Amino acid sequence: MPETIDTEYYEVVGETGLAGKLLLKARERMAADFMALVAPDASTTILDVGVSDVQMRGANHLESVYPHKARMNACGLGAGAEFRKAFPEIAYTQIVPNEPLPFGDKAFDVAVANAVLEHVGSTEKQRAFVSELMRVAHKVFLTVPHRYFPVEHHTAIPVLHFSDPTFRLGCRLLKKERWLREDNLILMTQSRLRALAPTGAKIGRTGLPLGPFSSNLYLFIDQENHRSL
């Protein structure tokens, strides 16, 4: 995720108040689903792709709570100064957007990415991103904001994002037109995520639990148990 988008997102959410508390609750649920589905142990190697260099409650939540940090690697678009300071045990690599990750095939047991897929720029680039995660790891767990959560994550616009015309109207009225550009944001639904997923992948709701309006979606790919992937 580009640093400017990352910074703007956390400015909208804030660290205190209701939005910040809800973000933390959502991230806690996503981390719990990661642990349940992936079932990592002390030997599992993990690559987190697209970590944030903005340090606040809720940001880089998996790194904050995971007990085996020395087995984690992280990469992001920035130099990662704040990330390195916050997590000195975790190796950090700066990467270039929409280029292959600088890691070998199946170099890790698990690749994770939180709130990255919706920012890579196009459907074609989304497919390439998922494929690249599958190349470098045996398992993939990624999460995205859910379009049908009542409040849009990046703009804080309620309900209007349920359709393209009303979302365009809301962004223009609130001077948030940058979020209408596909290279900045693609609003994600289960059907859109399914179109990017290989056969055998598991897609579900996570984050704040509101049934079909839950705050986030996950995609879990286990290539070891689905050889056809």
Side-chain angles (χ1 to χ4, degrees), residues 85-162:
K85 182 178 178 180
F87 305 105
E89 315 99 311
I90 301 175
Y92 179 87
T93 303
Q94 187 170 5
I95 57 175
V96 179
N98 300 310
E99 289 193 7
L101 294 170
F103 308 106
D105 294 354
K106 300 298 183 287
F108 302 94
D109 295 315
V110 186
V112 300
N114 173 57
V116 176
L117 185 65
E118 71 272 21
H119 297 297
V120 300
S122 68
T123 299
E124 180 179 330
K125 291 176 180 177
Q126 287 184 321
R127 289 197 180 97
F129 182 76
V130 173
S131 295
E132 190 63 4
L133 296 182
M134 293 173 61
R135 181 186 69 79
V136 302
H138 297 276
K139 297 180 181 180
V140 173
F141 182 85
L142 64 82
T143 59
V144 294
H146 187 198
R147 177 172 192 164
Y148 296 122
F149 184 61
V151 178
E152 202 285 310
H153 294 245
H154 305 85
T155 61
I157 294 175
V159 180
L160 295 180
H161 58 294
F162 284 8

Side-chain angles (χ1 to χ4, degrees), residues 13-80:
V13 172
E15 188 167 6
T16 60
L18 180 59
K21 291 177 181 178
L22 291 177
L23 171 67
L24 184 59
K25 289 293 184 183
R27 296 284 166 90
E28 288 173 350
R29 174 66 180 272
M30 287 185 272
D33 284 338
F34 166 81
M35 295 298 290
L37 287 166
V38 176
D41 58 31
S43 67
T44 303
T45 55
I46 299 173
L47 174 67
D48 193 347
V49 180
V51 296
S52 172
D53 210 27
V54 175
Q55 293 305 314
M56 59 170 282
R57 292 180 66 200
N60 302 316
H61 183 71
L62 183 61
E63 282 76 7
S64 298
V65 300
Y66 192 68
H68 309 296
K69 292 179 176 57
R71 303 296 289 170
M72 297 186 76
N73 285 254
C75 56
L77 299 181

